[in-house]
Amino acid sequence: MAKHKRIVIGNWKMYIDSPAVAMDVVRHVNRKTAGSKIEIGFAVPFVLLPTMANALKNSKIMLGAQKLSAHGGGAHTGEISAGMLKAVGASFVIVGHSERRENETDAMIAEELLRASEAKLRVVLCVGEKNRDESGAHFEFIAAQLKSALAAFPKISAARSLIIAYEPIWAIGKQADAAMKPAELREMEIFIRKKLTEILGRENAMKVPVLYGGSVEEGNAQSLIEGGDVAGFLVGHASASAATFLPIIQVCEK
Ligand code: 13P
């Protein structure tokens, strides 16, 4: 297994409307994690990016967006480009979250990855199956998602800037006890690394951290990080308040 610096990223989705509340959460987490040895990030709604960038000036906490346009710029009403994200202080972007894949094709996701890489943004590429059964078809599903997203992605950029987040859709938005079991996660982590090795080559693949997302809470973070053998977490609902996010970060610090 490759040893990566641990990474914990909060995906705020649409949980926080108010810039004041957002500032509160981020400042609190920043204060409590000042000496942290791990990488911590927040993927926030577009409209909060400038405020958050200001609040995180001089902080090691990474700021990111939850999606980006497949286009680089031009006549695309309502879209947000990789360059725009970079210009307001984002250093990473989530691509292919399952809640986005409802409206985005695999081809769009591959394009979005390229735009992010051109703008030198780190990318959190989400993959995950809708459901599982005895046939094990979910492994082939994940393999296909990785292959189509990364087919044209520069291998050298992957080694530098790619993070994979395995987020099985059936485990998202539940309580801790409904989430993935550590042994199943370990099995999938090994599978993802094998596929990354085929696509990117071993040396590049070993540099890509694999995170888990799907109902990570204080109660299951420890068993998932140890038993699942992942580099960290992409946290949804539990990242929307410092009280629920900090204990997960603390588990990953150990
Ligand atoms: P929950 O932690 O709320 O299940 O969300 C996971 C997720 O989708 C993070 O991107």
Side-chain angles (χ1 to χ4, degrees):
M1 184 202 81
K3 278 284 168 217
H4 300 281
K5 203 183 231 193
R6 284 192 172 158
I7 304 175
V8 183
I9 295 176
N11 173 11
W12 276 0
K13 308 191 181 191
M14 255 183 13
Y15 288 125
I16 298 178
D17 299 336
S18 143
V21 173
M23 288 273 254
D24 236 40
V25 176
V26 162
R27 285 202 173 127
H28 193 146
V29 171
N30 192 29
R31 242 191 345 265
K32 294 280 184 191
T33 59
S36 175
K37 297 186 296 289
I38 68 171
E39 294 193 281
I40 300 164
F42 286 99
V44 307
F46 291 139
V47 291
L48 291 176
L49 280 169
T51 319
M52 294 298 98
N54 202 27
L56 291 173
K57 236 187 253 162
N58 308 320
S59 163
K60 284 188 301 190
I61 291 183
M62 304 181 290
L63 181 63
Q66 299 171 11
K67 69 171 277 251
L68 84 168
S69 176
H71 303 287
H76 301 287
T77 303
E79 295 282 284
I80 304 283
S81 71
M84 291 173 182
L85 296 179
K86 189 83 181 175
V88 293
S91 64
F92 77 93
V93 61
I94 297 176
V95 175
H97 192 282
S98 56
E99 288 149 19
R100 303 284 342 144
R101 283 183 189 263
E102 287 172 19
N103 303 302
E104 293 177 16
T105 62
D106 285 348
M108 283 164 77
I109 287 160
E111 283 297 316
E112 289 165 15
L113 280 177
L114 294 178
R115 297 296 88 74
S117 161
E118 286 157 11
K120 303 214 166 5
L121 290 168
R122 282 173 93 180
V123 181
V124 181
L125 171 66
C126 295
V127 294
E129 76 279 3
K130 224 177 232 128
N131 32 49
R132 289 186 162 206
D133 61 26
E134 300 292 289
S135 76
H138 51 280
F139 286 109
E140 284 326 301
F141 185 81
I142 299 301
Q145 281 191 327
L146 288 170
K147 211 169 148 204
S148 83
L150 296 174
F153 196 69
K155 294 184 175 40
I156 192 73
S157 303
R160 227 179 10 237
S161 66
L162 182 67
I163 298 167
I164 301 292
Y166 170 61
E167 297 207 316
I169 298 173
W170 53 267
I172 293 178
K174 309 247 169 68
Q175 304 296 306
D177 54 6
M180 188 94 187
K181 298 290 170 273
E184 292 171 326
L185 180 56
R186 184 181 209 111
E187 186 184 44
M188 185 53 92
E189 198 275 345
I190 292 168
F191 179 79
I192 288 174
R193 194 152 304 282
K194 183 164 164 268
K195 287 295 141 192
L196 289 175
T197 301
E198 285 169 21
I199 300 166
L200 303 170
R202 188 179 154 77
E203 201 179 319
N204 294 322
M206 294 312 274
K207 294 190 178 131
V208 178
V210 177
L211 312 184
Y212 168 74
S215 307
V216 177
E217 295 182 345
E218 180 177 5
N220 59 358
Q222 179 97 31
S223 62
L224 283 169
I225 194 105
E226 283 172 4
D229 214 8
V230 283
F233 299 123
L234 183 57
V235 182
H237 63 269
S239 71
S241 97
T244 48
F245 195 38
L246 279 168
I248 297 172
I249 294 173
Q250 277 149 15
V251 161
C252 294
E253 295 274 5
K254 285 185 214 145

mmCIF file of all heavy atoms in Angstrom, residues 198-216:
data_model
loop_
_atom_site.group_PDB
_atom_site.id
_atom_site.type_symbol
_atom_site.label_atom_id
_atom_site.label_comp_id
_atom_site.label_asym_id
_atom_site.label_seq_id
_atom_site.Cartn_x
_atom_site.Cartn_y
_atom_site.Cartn_z
ATOM 1 N N GLU A 198 -3.082 0.000 -14.072
ATOM 2 C CA GLU A 198 -3.245 -0.328 -15.499
ATOM 3 C C GLU A 198 -3.359 0.931 -16.349
ATOM 4 O O GLU A 198 -2.831 1.004 -17.448
ATOM 5 C CB GLU A 198 -4.523 -1.169 -15.698
ATOM 6 C CG GLU A 198 -4.366 -2.613 -15.234
ATOM 7 C CD GLU A 198 -5.709 -3.349 -15.190
ATOM 8 O OE1 GLU A 198 -6.670 -2.909 -15.865
ATOM 9 O OE2 GLU A 198 -5.788 -4.345 -14.461
ATOM 10 N N ILE A 199 -4.069 1.930 -15.837
ATOM 11 C CA ILE A 199 -4.340 3.136 -16.641
ATOM 12 C C ILE A 199 -3.151 4.107 -16.629
ATOM 13 O O ILE A 199 -2.800 4.685 -17.653
ATOM 14 C CB ILE A 199 -5.614 3.861 -16.118
ATOM 15 C CG1 ILE A 199 -6.835 2.941 -16.200
ATOM 16 C CG2 ILE A 199 -5.878 5.153 -16.915
ATOM 17 C CD1 ILE A 199 -8.055 3.430 -15.419
ATOM 18 N N LEU A 200 -2.535 4.273 -15.466
ATOM 19 C CA LEU A 200 -1.526 5.339 -15.306
ATOM 20 C C LEU A 200 -0.098 4.828 -15.232
ATOM 21 O O LEU A 200 0.848 5.617 -15.289
ATOM 22 C CB LEU A 200 -1.801 6.135 -14.014
ATOM 23 C CG LEU A 200 -3.179 6.778 -13.866
ATOM 24 C CD1 LEU A 200 -3.361 7.303 -12.448
ATOM 25 C CD2 LEU A 200 -3.337 7.926 -14.862
ATOM 26 N N GLY A 201 0.054 3.528 -15.068
ATOM 27 C CA GLY A 201 1.387 2.984 -14.794
ATOM 28 C C GLY A 201 1.608 2.977 -13.290
ATOM 29 O O GLY A 201 1.066 3.813 -12.572
ATOM 30 N N ARG A 202 2.407 2.012 -12.834
ATOM 31 C CA ARG A 202 2.530 1.784 -11.400
ATOM 32 C C ARG A 202 3.058 2.994 -10.630
ATOM 33 O O ARG A 202 2.507 3.400 -9.616
ATOM 34 C CB ARG A 202 3.441 0.573 -11.166
ATOM 35 C CG ARG A 202 3.491 0.139 -9.736
ATOM 36 C CD ARG A 202 4.373 -1.074 -9.528
ATOM 37 N NE ARG A 202 4.871 -1.091 -8.157
ATOM 38 C CZ ARG A 202 4.156 -1.454 -7.114
ATOM 39 N NH1 ARG A 202 2.922 -1.869 -7.265
ATOM 40 N NH2 ARG A 202 4.671 -1.413 -5.905
ATOM 41 N N GLU A 203 4.098 3.595 -11.189
ATOM 42 C CA GLU A 203 4.737 4.692 -10.447
ATOM 43 C C GLU A 203 3.769 5.859 -10.237
ATOM 44 O O GLU A 203 3.683 6.413 -9.135
ATOM 45 C CB GLU A 203 5.963 5.160 -11.219
ATOM 46 C CG GLU A 203 6.946 5.887 -10.343
ATOM 47 C CD GLU A 203 8.165 6.317 -11.137
ATOM 48 O OE1 GLU A 203 8.627 5.502 -11.979
ATOM 49 O OE2 GLU A 203 8.613 7.446 -10.949
ATOM 50 N N ASN A 204 3.031 6.223 -11.276
ATOM 51 C CA ASN A 204 2.049 7.307 -11.144
ATOM 52 C C ASN A 204 0.901 6.891 -10.224
ATOM 53 O O ASN A 204 0.475 7.659 -9.366
ATOM 54 C CB ASN A 204 1.479 7.686 -12.517
ATOM 55 C CG ASN A 204 2.533 8.284 -13.421
ATOM 56 O OD1 ASN A 204 3.395 9.040 -12.969
ATOM 57 N ND2 ASN A 204 2.482 7.953 -14.697
ATOM 58 N N ALA A 205 0.414 5.671 -10.422
ATOM 59 C CA ALA A 205 -0.752 5.213 -9.663
ATOM 60 C C ALA A 205 -0.485 5.217 -8.156
ATOM 61 O O ALA A 205 -1.368 5.538 -7.365
ATOM 62 C CB ALA A 205 -1.155 3.818 -10.115
ATOM 63 N N MET A 206 0.748 4.883 -7.777
ATOM 64 C CA MET A 206 1.053 4.812 -6.347
ATOM 65 C C MET A 206 1.022 6.191 -5.683
ATOM 66 O O MET A 206 0.951 6.305 -4.473
ATOM 67 C CB MET A 206 2.423 4.166 -6.108
ATOM 68 C CG MET A 206 2.481 2.704 -6.501
ATOM 69 S SD MET A 206 1.093 1.725 -5.880
ATOM 70 C CE MET A 206 1.714 1.292 -4.254
ATOM 71 N N LYS A 207 1.073 7.238 -6.503
ATOM 72 C CA LYS A 207 1.056 8.596 -5.935
ATOM 73 C C LYS A 207 -0.360 9.149 -5.789
ATOM 74 O O LYS A 207 -0.544 10.254 -5.296
ATOM 75 C CB LYS A 207 1.870 9.528 -6.841
ATOM 76 C CG LYS A 207 3.340 9.162 -6.854
ATOM 77 C CD LYS A 207 4.164 10.215 -7.544
ATOM 78 C CE LYS A 207 5.630 9.830 -7.491
ATOM 79 N NZ LYS A 207 6.280 9.938 -8.799
ATOM 80 N N VAL A 208 -1.341 8.393 -6.237
ATOM 81 C CA VAL A 208 -2.723 8.892 -6.209
ATOM 82 C C VAL A 208 -3.415 8.419 -4.920
ATOM 83 O O VAL A 208 -3.629 7.219 -4.739
ATOM 84 C CB VAL A 208 -3.509 8.384 -7.440
ATOM 85 C CG1 VAL A 208 -4.957 8.858 -7.398
ATOM 86 C CG2 VAL A 208 -2.834 8.843 -8.730
ATOM 87 N N PRO A 209 -3.785 9.345 -4.040
ATOM 88 C CA PRO A 209 -4.493 8.928 -2.825
ATOM 89 C C PRO A 209 -5.916 8.485 -3.152
ATOM 90 O O PRO A 209 -6.563 9.075 -4.020
ATOM 91 C CB PRO A 209 -4.533 10.202 -1.966
ATOM 92 C CG PRO A 209 -3.719 11.225 -2.663
ATOM 93 C CD PRO A 209 -3.558 10.794 -4.089
ATOM 94 N N VAL A 210 -6.386 7.474 -2.464
ATOM 95 C CA VAL A 210 -7.775 7.024 -2.614
ATOM 96 C C VAL A 210 -8.514 7.324 -1.310
ATOM 97 O O VAL A 210 -8.109 6.860 -0.232
ATOM 98 C CB VAL A 210 -7.851 5.517 -2.949
ATOM 99 C CG1 VAL A 210 -9.310 5.058 -3.032
ATOM 100 C CG2 VAL A 210 -7.129 5.222 -4.262
ATOM 101 N N LEU A 211 -9.566 8.106 -1.424
ATOM 102 C CA LEU A 211 -10.375 8.458 -0.256
ATOM 103 C C LEU A 211 -11.686 7.676 -0.296
ATOM 104 O O LEU A 211 -12.073 7.144 -1.334
ATOM 105 C CB LEU A 211 -10.722 9.956 -0.258
ATOM 106 C CG LEU A 211 -9.611 10.972 -0.518
ATOM 107 C CD1 LEU A 211 -10.166 12.390 -0.384
ATOM 108 C CD2 LEU A 211 -8.451 10.772 0.432
ATOM 109 N N TYR A 212 -12.370 7.656 0.838
ATOM 110 C CA TYR A 212 -13.714 7.077 0.886
ATOM 111 C C TYR A 212 -14.714 8.167 1.263
ATOM 112 O O TYR A 212 -14.426 9.014 2.124
ATOM 113 C CB TYR A 212 -13.786 5.941 1.915
ATOM 114 C CG TYR A 212 -15.223 5.544 2.185
ATOM 115 C CD1 TYR A 212 -15.934 4.814 1.240
ATOM 116 C CD2 TYR A 212 -15.881 5.975 3.340
ATOM 117 C CE1 TYR A 212 -17.268 4.508 1.441
ATOM 118 C CE2 TYR A 212 -17.209 5.665 3.554
ATOM 119 C CZ TYR A 212 -17.901 4.935 2.598
ATOM 120 O OH TYR A 212 -19.230 4.648 2.793
ATOM 121 N N GLY A 213 -15.885 8.135 0.660
ATOM 122 C CA GLY A 213 -16.976 9.021 1.050
ATOM 123 C C GLY A 213 -18.280 8.261 1.072
ATOM 124 O O GLY A 213 -18.542 7.401 0.221
ATOM 125 N N GLY A 214 -19.137 8.592 2.025
ATOM 126 C CA GLY A 214 -20.443 7.930 2.153
ATOM 127 C C GLY A 214 -20.736 7.714 3.625
ATOM 128 O O GLY A 214 -20.259 6.744 4.215
ATOM 129 N N SER A 215 -21.455 8.668 4.234
ATOM 130 C CA SER A 215 -21.863 8.552 5.640
ATOM 131 C C SER A 215 -20.689 8.366 6.601
ATOM 132 O O SER A 215 -20.768 7.554 7.528
ATOM 133 C CB SER A 215 -22.868 7.417 5.810
ATOM 134 O OG SER A 215 -23.945 7.589 4.905
ATOM 135 N N VAL A 216 -19.615 9.093 6.360
ATOM 136 C CA VAL A 216 -18.515 9.076 7.336
ATOM 137 C C VAL A 216 -18.900 10.009 8.474
ATOM 138 O O VAL A 216 -19.264 11.161 8.258
ATOM 139 C CB VAL A 216 -17.179 9.541 6.704
ATOM 140 C CG1 VAL A 216 -16.086 9.570 7.767
ATOM 141 C CG2 VAL A 216 -16.788 8.648 5.543
#
